[in-house]
Structures are given as C-alpha cells and as structure tokens.
Short mmCIF file of all heavy atoms in Angstrom, two decimals:
data_model
loop_
_atom_site.label_atom_id
_atom_site.label_comp_id
_atom_site.label_asym_id
_atom_site.label_seq_id
_atom_site.Cartn_x
_atom_site.Cartn_y
_atom_site.Cartn_z
N LEU A 140 -15.19 5.73 -2.35
CA LEU A 140 -14.50 5.08 -3.46
C LEU A 140 -15.32 3.89 -3.93
O LEU A 140 -15.87 3.14 -3.11
CB LEU A 140 -13.12 4.60 -3.02
CG LEU A 140 -12.11 5.65 -2.51
CD1 LEU A 140 -10.78 4.98 -2.19
CD2 LEU A 140 -11.92 6.77 -3.51
N GLY A 141 -15.41 3.71 -5.23
CA GLY A 141 -16.08 2.54 -5.76
C GLY A 141 -15.23 1.29 -5.57
O GLY A 141 -14.06 1.37 -5.17
N PRO A 142 -15.78 0.12 -5.86
CA PRO A 142 -15.05 -1.13 -5.63
C PRO A 142 -13.67 -1.18 -6.29
O PRO A 142 -12.68 -1.53 -5.65
CB PRO A 142 -15.99 -2.20 -6.20
CG PRO A 142 -17.36 -1.62 -6.00
CD PRO A 142 -17.18 -0.15 -6.25
N ALA A 143 -13.59 -0.83 -7.58
CA ALA A 143 -12.31 -0.90 -8.27
C ALA A 143 -11.32 0.10 -7.69
O ALA A 143 -10.14 -0.21 -7.48
CB ALA A 143 -12.50 -0.66 -9.77
N GLU A 144 -11.79 1.31 -7.41
CA GLU A 144 -10.92 2.35 -6.87
C GLU A 144 -10.46 1.99 -5.46
O GLU A 144 -9.31 2.23 -5.08
CB GLU A 144 -11.65 3.69 -6.87
CG GLU A 144 -10.73 4.88 -6.78
CD GLU A 144 -11.48 6.19 -6.95
OE1 GLU A 144 -12.73 6.18 -6.98
OE2 GLU A 144 -10.80 7.24 -7.04
N ALA A 145 -11.36 1.41 -4.65
CA ALA A 145 -11.00 1.00 -3.30
C ALA A 145 -9.93 -0.09 -3.32
O ALA A 145 -8.96 -0.06 -2.55
CB ALA A 145 -12.24 0.52 -2.54
N ARG A 146 -10.11 -1.06 -4.20
CA ARG A 146 -9.12 -2.14 -4.30
C ARG A 146 -7.76 -1.61 -4.76
O ARG A 146 -6.71 -2.03 -4.26
CB ARG A 146 -9.62 -3.22 -5.26
CG ARG A 146 -10.78 -4.05 -4.70
CD ARG A 146 -11.15 -5.17 -5.65
NE ARG A 146 -12.11 -6.09 -5.06
CZ ARG A 146 -13.38 -6.21 -5.45
NH1 ARG A 146 -13.85 -5.46 -6.45
NH2 ARG A 146 -14.18 -7.07 -4.86
N SER A 147 -7.77 -0.69 -5.71
CA SER A 147 -6.52 -0.11 -6.18
C SER A 147 -5.85 0.69 -5.07
O SER A 147 -4.62 0.62 -4.89
CB SER A 147 -6.79 0.80 -7.38
OG SER A 147 -5.62 1.47 -7.79
N TYR A 148 -6.65 1.41 -4.30
CA TYR A 148 -6.12 2.23 -3.21
C TYR A 148 -5.44 1.37 -2.14
O TYR A 148 -4.30 1.63 -1.74
CB TYR A 148 -7.25 3.06 -2.60
CG TYR A 148 -6.88 3.76 -1.32
CD1 TYR A 148 -5.89 4.74 -1.28
CD2 TYR A 148 -7.55 3.46 -0.13
CE1 TYR A 148 -5.56 5.39 -0.10
CE2 TYR A 148 -7.23 4.11 1.05
CZ TYR A 148 -6.23 5.08 1.06
OH TYR A 148 -5.91 5.71 2.23
N VAL A 149 -6.13 0.32 -1.67
CA VAL A 149 -5.53 -0.49 -0.61
C VAL A 149 -4.29 -1.23 -1.11
O VAL A 149 -3.35 -1.46 -0.35
CB VAL A 149 -6.56 -1.48 0.00
CG1 VAL A 149 -7.73 -0.74 0.63
CG2 VAL A 149 -7.05 -2.49 -1.01
N ALA A 150 -4.27 -1.58 -2.40
CA ALA A 150 -3.08 -2.25 -2.95
C ALA A 150 -1.90 -1.28 -3.01
O ALA A 150 -0.76 -1.65 -2.69
CB ALA A 150 -3.39 -2.79 -4.35
N THR A 151 -2.16 -0.03 -3.41
CA THR A 151 -1.09 0.97 -3.46
C THR A 151 -0.53 1.24 -2.07
O THR A 151 0.69 1.32 -1.87
CB THR A 151 -1.62 2.29 -4.07
OG1 THR A 151 -2.05 2.04 -5.41
CG2 THR A 151 -0.54 3.36 -4.08
N VAL A 152 -1.44 1.37 -1.10
CA VAL A 152 -1.01 1.60 0.28
C VAL A 152 -0.15 0.43 0.76
O VAL A 152 0.91 0.63 1.37
CB VAL A 152 -2.22 1.82 1.20
CG1 VAL A 152 -1.81 1.79 2.67
CG2 VAL A 152 -2.92 3.13 0.87
N ARG A 153 -0.58 -0.78 0.49
CA ARG A 153 0.17 -1.93 0.96
C ARG A 153 1.57 -1.98 0.34
O ARG A 153 2.55 -2.33 1.03
CB ARG A 153 -0.60 -3.22 0.65
CG ARG A 153 0.12 -4.52 1.01
CD ARG A 153 0.60 -4.56 2.47
NE ARG A 153 -0.44 -4.37 3.44
CZ ARG A 153 -1.25 -5.32 3.90
NH1 ARG A 153 -1.12 -6.56 3.44
NH2 ARG A 153 -2.15 -5.04 4.81
N ASP A 154 1.68 -1.65 -0.93
CA ASP A 154 3.01 -1.62 -1.56
C ASP A 154 3.93 -0.64 -0.83
O ASP A 154 5.11 -0.94 -0.58
CB ASP A 154 2.90 -1.23 -3.03
CG ASP A 154 2.35 -2.35 -3.90
OD1 ASP A 154 2.34 -3.51 -3.43
OD2 ASP A 154 1.93 -2.06 -5.03
N LYS A 155 3.40 0.50 -0.48
CA LYS A 155 4.20 1.51 0.23
C LYS A 155 4.54 1.05 1.64
O LYS A 155 5.63 1.32 2.15
CB LYS A 155 3.48 2.85 0.24
CG LYS A 155 3.37 3.50 -1.14
CD LYS A 155 2.72 4.85 -1.08
CE LYS A 155 2.66 5.48 -2.48
NZ LYS A 155 4.01 5.76 -3.03
N VAL A 156 3.62 0.36 2.29
CA VAL A 156 3.87 -0.14 3.64
C VAL A 156 4.98 -1.17 3.64
O VAL A 156 5.87 -1.16 4.50
CB VAL A 156 2.57 -0.74 4.24
CG1 VAL A 156 2.87 -1.60 5.47
CG2 VAL A 156 1.61 0.37 4.60
N LEU A 157 4.97 -2.07 2.67
CA LEU A 157 6.03 -3.07 2.59
C LEU A 157 7.38 -2.43 2.31
O LEU A 157 8.42 -2.89 2.80
CB LEU A 157 5.69 -4.11 1.52
CG LEU A 157 4.47 -4.99 1.84
CD1 LEU A 157 4.17 -5.91 0.67
CD2 LEU A 157 4.67 -5.78 3.12
N ASP A 158 7.36 -1.33 1.55
CA ASP A 158 8.60 -0.61 1.30
C ASP A 158 9.08 0.07 2.59
O ASP A 158 10.28 0.07 2.89
CB ASP A 158 8.38 0.44 0.21
CG ASP A 158 9.68 1.13 -0.19
OD1 ASP A 158 10.60 0.42 -0.62
OD2 ASP A 158 9.76 2.37 -0.03
N VAL A 159 8.15 0.64 3.36
CA VAL A 159 8.51 1.22 4.66
C VAL A 159 9.11 0.16 5.56
O VAL A 159 10.16 0.37 6.20
CB VAL A 159 7.27 1.86 5.33
CG1 VAL A 159 7.55 2.19 6.80
CG2 VAL A 159 6.82 3.11 4.58
N LEU A 160 8.45 -0.99 5.63
CA LEU A 160 8.94 -2.08 6.48
C LEU A 160 10.34 -2.52 6.04
O LEU A 160 11.22 -2.75 6.88
CB LEU A 160 7.97 -3.26 6.41
CG LEU A 160 8.33 -4.50 7.23
CD1 LEU A 160 8.36 -4.19 8.72
CD2 LEU A 160 7.33 -5.63 6.95
N ASP A 161 10.54 -2.62 4.74
CA ASP A 161 11.82 -3.08 4.22
C ASP A 161 12.95 -2.09 4.51
O ASP A 161 14.10 -2.48 4.70
CB ASP A 161 11.71 -3.30 2.71
CG ASP A 161 12.95 -3.97 2.14
OD1 ASP A 161 13.32 -5.05 2.64
OD2 ASP A 161 13.54 -3.41 1.20
N ARG A 162 12.63 -0.80 4.58
CA ARG A 162 13.65 0.23 4.75
C ARG A 162 13.89 0.60 6.21
O ARG A 162 14.86 1.31 6.50
CB ARG A 162 13.26 1.48 3.97
CG ARG A 162 13.31 1.28 2.45
CD ARG A 162 12.77 2.49 1.71
NE ARG A 162 12.76 2.25 0.27
CZ ARG A 162 13.76 2.58 -0.54
NH1 ARG A 162 14.86 3.13 -0.05
NH2 ARG A 162 13.67 2.35 -1.84
N LEU A 163 13.01 0.14 7.13
CA LEU A 163 13.26 0.42 8.53
C LEU A 163 14.48 -0.36 9.01
O LEU A 163 14.61 -1.54 8.71
CB LEU A 163 12.05 0.02 9.38
CG LEU A 163 10.89 1.00 9.50
CD1 LEU A 163 9.78 0.38 10.33
CD2 LEU A 163 11.34 2.32 10.13
N PRO A 164 15.36 0.28 9.78
CA PRO A 164 16.49 -0.47 10.35
C PRO A 164 15.98 -1.62 11.20
O PRO A 164 14.96 -1.49 11.90
CB PRO A 164 17.22 0.57 11.20
CG PRO A 164 16.77 1.90 10.67
CD PRO A 164 15.38 1.70 10.15
#
C-alpha cells in the first residue's frame, strides 16, 4: 500500500476496533 492508502487503511481499522471495544459487554 502506498502512503495515502496505508494511512486510510489503518484509520479505517481503528474506527472498527473502537466500535468493537464499545460494543463488547
């Protein structure tokens, strides 16, 4: 992945991780 694509990818993953964390009991 190029720089812009890599940054977008890790940001998308992090958004999903925070959603996982928020939804875990």
Side-chain angles (χ1 to χ4, degrees):
L140 300 183
E144 200 173 9
R146 289 185 171 111
S147 175
Y148 170 63
V149 299
T151 299
V152 169
R153 176 54 57 84
D154 285 345
K155 292 183 178 296
V156 165
L157 293 176
D158 186 59
V159 167
L160 179 63
D161 188 55
R162 292 173 183 269
L163 276 177

